[in-house]
Amino acid sequence: MEVRTRFAPSPTGHLHIGGARTALFNYLFAKRYGGKFILRIEDTDLERSSIESEKVIIESLRWLGIEWDEGVEVGGPYGPYRSTERVDIYKKYVDVLFEKGYAYYCYCTEEELEAQRQELLSKGQMPRYLGKCRNLTEDQKRRFEQEGRKPTVRFKVPEGVKIVVHDLVRGDVEFLSDDIGDFVIVKSDGIPTYNFAVVIDDHLMKISHVIRGEEHLSNTPRQILIYDALGFELPQFAHVSLILGKDRTKMSKRHGSTWVEQYKDQGYLKEGLINFLALLGWSPPEDREIFDMEYLIENFSLERVSKNPAIFDIDKLNYINSQHIKLKSLDELTQMCIPYFVEAGYIKEDEAKSKFEWLKKVVKSVYEGLDYLSQIKDRVDIFFNNEVKVEEDEAKEVLKWEHVKDLISVFENKIKQVNELTPEAIRLLFKEIQKETGYKGKNLFMPIRVVLTGKTHGPELVEIIEIVGKENILKRLEFFKTWYN
């Protein structure tokens, strides 16, 4: 049997981290076993679905490197791949359920359904539809239609049946049909519900494994009933754990960004995010945390997916992403940082090419310790602004040292005498200053650092001086004299 998995998001917003994890697990499982991964859009929620959201989801998946073999924008033998384009297909199977006695029209109003729900709750019972319209006569149906009521179609759930979900992650999970109640499979506007459409689509698209979030487990018995009623073979189910915040509550905005697009914009690498997502509920067969897509495809299995909730730890994501940043070549990293330099107003977009070699030096001096690339904006201001601002209390204290003015005067004279500020020339310059003034260590380097950058911490001072260059070093020293005096 060919392994065929799918990701079927509703285009009602951005690609959530949980959805991205689901897509990744389906993709990895299919690729691990030489199968196919399908992208299907479930846009049956007409009010909330939009083409814009679909585009965002598609772009986010492609950015992550999760490509599909069949589906929207790619095509394939089992299309169309949007639910709203498959309504005629669903209707055929609704007719089959009517013929077999598994479906009936329901004319209950929202008010009647809510009253029934409240009554069951008041008795301490699970809310469910009690089958009021199961056995309506033709006269009753006609009367309801004359009142202007538009019926839904409900699935007739058999009574007293135990439904067992054979789950590849959770083992056997049992449900009782009497707790479900007859459920809607076609809404009053003629659009099928998720629970019905997903069964038809998965069957016709020959989906072998349905890998999805734990929140869908409660839907599965309804879907199994439809599979059985239509005589379809069941796929294998695997429900992966919820993603919780560090406080063990459902992940939300208070735990950090929740969309893939937000992480992309902040400068997380796709490799880092994929690596982190894989560890949300899955463990590798060996003791390591940093790996690429190729390793994941070779090693992913459902046997190593945990049934326990996955914890979204932003510190762990930052660590993993920082390791992937270090794996990038300097050219690649610089290219990826340029949009953030432009965004911060440090350079113009059309200057990037001519300044690329210089920008490489800037990036090289600060990339160590970056968790994500947008952080670079706050680390490189020292290279772009000759009007140095001293705002840290510690830096202000340094400028109060008695020898600062004389030291800076000597430093300025030495700089003027150097033709080219290479690292070797700068180191020699400091040796000469030390010999001439007697200052060394912190007393030598800290005042110069503060005068040139306004800060007490940052890249190596030799790197700063080389990158800033002689002309701008002298400008900063002039600015310092004006400000200091």
Side-chain angles (χ1 to χ4, degrees):
M1 177 185 70
E2 182 186 36
V3 169
R4 291 176 61 83
T5 65
R6 49 73 171 174
F7 178 54
S10 297
T12 56
H14 298 264
L15 179 59
H16 190 273
I17 283 295
R21 192 267 306 260
T22 298
L24 176 63
F25 280 15
N26 276 280
Y27 174 81
L28 294 175
F29 187 79
K31 296 305 165 188
R32 170 78 170 78
Y33 296 102
K36 296 284 197 318
F37 172 63
I38 294 96
L39 177 64
R40 189 173 72 226
I41 298 296
E42 290 182 349
D43 56 351
T44 54
D45 186 341
L46 298 181
E47 290 184 5
R48 297 172 61 222
S49 295
S50 71
I51 290 296
E52 291 72 26
S53 291
E54 181 182 314
K55 286 179 180 176
V56 167
I57 291 169
I58 287 171
E59 286 170 7
S60 295
L61 288 171
R62 285 193 167 135
W63 174 72
L64 286 169
I66 300 174
E67 296 286 345
W68 46 103
D69 302 290
E70 298 172 20
V72 290
E73 295 194 353
V74 171
Y78 304 110
Y81 292 93
R82 290 184 186 85
S83 297
T84 50
E85 296 171 7
R86 298 173 61 83
V87 174
D88 289 343
I89 296 172
Y90 304 135
K91 189 177 183 308
K92 294 175 187 175
Y93 290 95
V94 174
D95 292 343
V96 172
L97 291 177
F98 270 112
E99 290 168 13
K100 290 188 169 188
Y102 282 106
Y104 63 91
Y105 288 112
C106 173
Y107 294 86
C108 292
T109 63
E110 290 294 327
E111 293 75 19
E112 288 169 341
L113 293 170
E114 181 58 25
Q116 184 185 96
R117 181 175 178 276
Q118 292 301 328
E119 184 181 350
L120 287 170
L121 285 172
S122 68
K123 294 177 180 177
Q125 297 179 27
M126 187 180 293
R128 63 197 185 282
Y129 186 70
L130 298 177
K132 181 180 177 182
C133 293
R134 255 193 186 208
N135 301 301
L136 293 177
T137 64
E138 291 304 314
D139 285 342
Q140 288 173 312
K141 292 177 188 177
R142 198 162 31 248
R143 192 163 61 249
F144 282 138
E145 287 170 7
Q146 286 171 352
E147 291 176 13
R149 297 194 187 196
K150 291 184 177 179
T152 59
V153 178
R154 286 188 182 270
F155 183 85
K156 190 182 290 185
V157 175
E159 297 175 0
V161 173
K162 184 197 293 183
I163 306 160
V164 182
V165 180
H166 300 293
D167 195 283
L168 296 174
V169 172
R170 298 171 186 283
D172 287 355
V173 185
E174 296 182 356
F175 296 87
L176 297 176
S177 64
D178 292 348
D179 294 333
I180 295 174
D182 296 349
F183 54 92
V184 176
I185 57 173
V186 180
K187 293 176 280 189
S188 58
D189 59 4
I191 300 297
T193 61
Y194 162 77
N195 278 319
F196 180 65
V198 73
V199 170
I200 306 305
D201 291 342
D202 283 347
H203 171 72
L204 294 180
M205 294 179 190
K206 301 187 184 303
I207 301 302
S208 64
H209 293 77
V210 173
I211 304 168
R212 57 191 178 190
E214 181 186 352
E215 64 272 20
H216 287 287
L217 182 59
S218 60
N219 290 325
T220 308
R222 294 173 175 81
Q223 294 166 20
I224 288 175
L225 289 171
I226 297 171
Y227 273 104
D228 290 344
L230 291 170
F232 293 165
E233 183 181 348
L234 288 176
Q236 295 190 65
F237 294 102
H239 290 89
V240 299
S241 61
L242 293 173
I243 299 175
L244 304 180
K246 282 175 110 175
D247 58 1
R248 303 194 76 80
T249 61
K250 192 172 181 182
M251 189 184 168
S252 63
K253 290 178 183 176
R254 72 177 181 277
H255 298 116
S257 302
T258 56
W259 309 330
V260 168
E261 200 179 357
Q262 290 171 307
Y263 288 98
K264 177 187 175 186
D265 291 345
Q266 287 177 70
Y268 284 87
L269 306 191
K270 63 182 179 182
E271 296 91 345
L273 194 53
I274 284 288
N275 190 158
F276 176 71
L277 289 173
L279 291 171
L280 290 177
W282 174 80
S283 59
E286 52 191 300
D287 187 21
R288 59 182 285 189
E289 285 187 312
I290 308 302
F291 29 72
D292 56 18
M293 188 75 91
E294 186 179 346
Y295 175 89
L296 288 170
I297 290 171
E298 288 175 2
N299 291 278
F300 184 82
S301 69
L302 291 173
E303 287 79 13
R304 301 193 67 83
V305 172
S306 172
K307 66 176 73 172
N308 297 319
I311 304 300
F312 187 96
D313 184 345
I314 190 67
D315 294 327
K316 186 167 185 178
L317 169 58
N318 287 342
Y319 166 73
I320 289 171
N321 198 64
S322 70
Q323 300 308 300
H324 281 279
I325 287 174
K326 291 175 184 176
L327 293 172
K328 290 289 179 186
S329 71
L330 186 56
D331 277 38
E332 227 180 334
L333 201 53
T334 303
Q335 200 66 55
M336 296 169 83
C337 288
I338 285 171
Y340 300 104
F341 294 147
V342 174
E343 184 184 312
Y346 293 138
I347 62 167
K348 293 177 182 175
E349 204 165 343
D350 56 8
E351 294 177 315
K353 191 173 181 181
S354 61
K355 290 186 173 182
F356 190 74
E357 290 304 313
W358 182 78
L359 291 172
K360 275 169 62 176
K361 293 181 181 180
V362 173
V363 172
K364 183 175 181 290
S365 70
V366 299
Y367 83 94
E368 286 282 348
L370 282 178
D371 293 328
Y372 46 91
L373 298 184
S374 64
Q375 287 176 328
I376 203 165
K377 292 186 292 186
D378 299 325
R379 299 190 180 193
V380 298
D381 59 318
I382 60 173
F383 299 113
F384 293 94
N385 192 356
N386 290 325
E387 294 185 4
V388 179
K389 293 180 181 178
V390 183
E391 296 175 336
E392 300 173 2
D393 290 339
E394 189 180 352
K396 289 176 182 177
E397 287 301 313
V398 169
L399 294 182
K400 292 177 183 177
W401 295 353
E402 288 183 7
H403 70 286
V404 169
K405 196 170 183 181
D406 290 339
L407 174 64
I408 297 305
S409 178
V410 174
F411 175 69
E412 182 180 21
N413 288 332
K414 294 291 182 186
I415 288 287
K416 286 177 179 177
Q417 294 169 22
V418 178
N419 291 324
E420 187 180 357
L421 288 175
T422 64
E424 295 76 18
I426 296 165
R427 290 189 187 96
L428 181 61
L429 177 149
F430 278 126
K431 283 182 181 178
E432 291 175 356
I433 294 174
Q434 181 180 333
K435 188 175 180 181
E436 191 172 317
T437 65
Y439 299 123
K440 58 184 178 179
K442 185 176 180 181
N443 286 327
L444 170 59
F445 299 113
M446 190 59 76
I448 294 173
R449 176 183 289 278
V450 171
V451 168
L452 295 182
T453 70
K455 306 176 191 299
T456 55
H457 302 283
E460 289 290 327
L461 189 54
V462 171
E463 286 185 319
I464 293 172
I465 293 170
E466 181 198 3
I467 294 168
V468 172
K470 181 175 178 176
E471 183 182 342
N472 288 322
I473 291 289
L474 292 173
K475 283 181 183 178
R476 294 184 189 201
L477 293 176
E478 284 301 315
F479 180 77
F480 165 70
K481 284 189 280 187
T482 304
W483 175 85
Y484 194 68
N485 292 329

